[in-house]
Amino acid sequence: MVDYEDFLERYAFAQKFYTEYSLLYTEAFRRQVDYRVDIMLSEEQFALNEQAEPYVLYEFEALVADPDFHNATEELLFMHSGTILWRKRISDRIDAIQERLEAASD
């Protein structure tokens, strides 16, 4: 359990790094993407139909032509992959702890 807690503390540090590092790349998204945060999200909003009002507006051609956007996308994908890997390791450790607890109770 001490090892698991230590791992969670390291994850918290990594998560803070990933979050701060990711924020460096959000400007490339903001230039071409309008996030309409004032829109009221509802079940209808999440349904895939032509009547739903879009809550993200973007200029696709501008995104494709923007090298900063390409770089930001790659960096954010790297950050996302790192976060997913940490979460998988946490899940694996939880499974191992549960197995040991079950074995100890038998």
Side-chain angles (χ1 to χ4, degrees), residues 70-101:
H70 289 256
N71 183 53
T73 302
E74 288 180 16
E75 291 295 332
L76 291 172
L77 181 59
F78 175 74
M79 295 296 112
H80 176 73
S81 298
T83 300
I84 295 299
L85 181 60
W86 274 96
R87 297 297 302 163
K88 169 90 171 82
R89 290 177 177 164
I90 289 171
S91 182
D92 291 346
R93 282 171 168 74
I94 290 171
D95 291 344
I97 291 168
Q98 288 175 331
E99 288 173 11
R100 287 184 182 139
L101 289 172

Side-chain angles (χ1 to χ4, degrees), residues 2-55:
V2 171
D3 289 341
Y4 177 70
E5 183 177 357
D6 177 61
F7 187 81
L8 288 181
E9 288 174 3
R10 287 184 282 140
Y11 171 68
F13 178 81
Q15 185 179 32
K16 183 176 185 238
F17 167 78
Y18 286 145
T19 300
E20 290 173 0
Y21 191 75
S22 295
L23 291 174
L24 298 174
Y25 293 95
T26 58
E27 179 57 33
F29 281 83
R30 277 192 237 128
R31 270 185 261 153
Q32 304 298 339
V33 178
D34 178 21
Y35 298 97
R36 301 183 58 212
V37 295
D38 61 334
I39 198 166
M40 294 296 295
L41 295 180
S42 64
E43 194 172 315
E44 291 80 29
Q45 255 337 103
F46 290 102
L48 297 176
N49 63 52
E50 294 177 14
Q51 275 68 34
E53 185 179 350
Y55 60 94

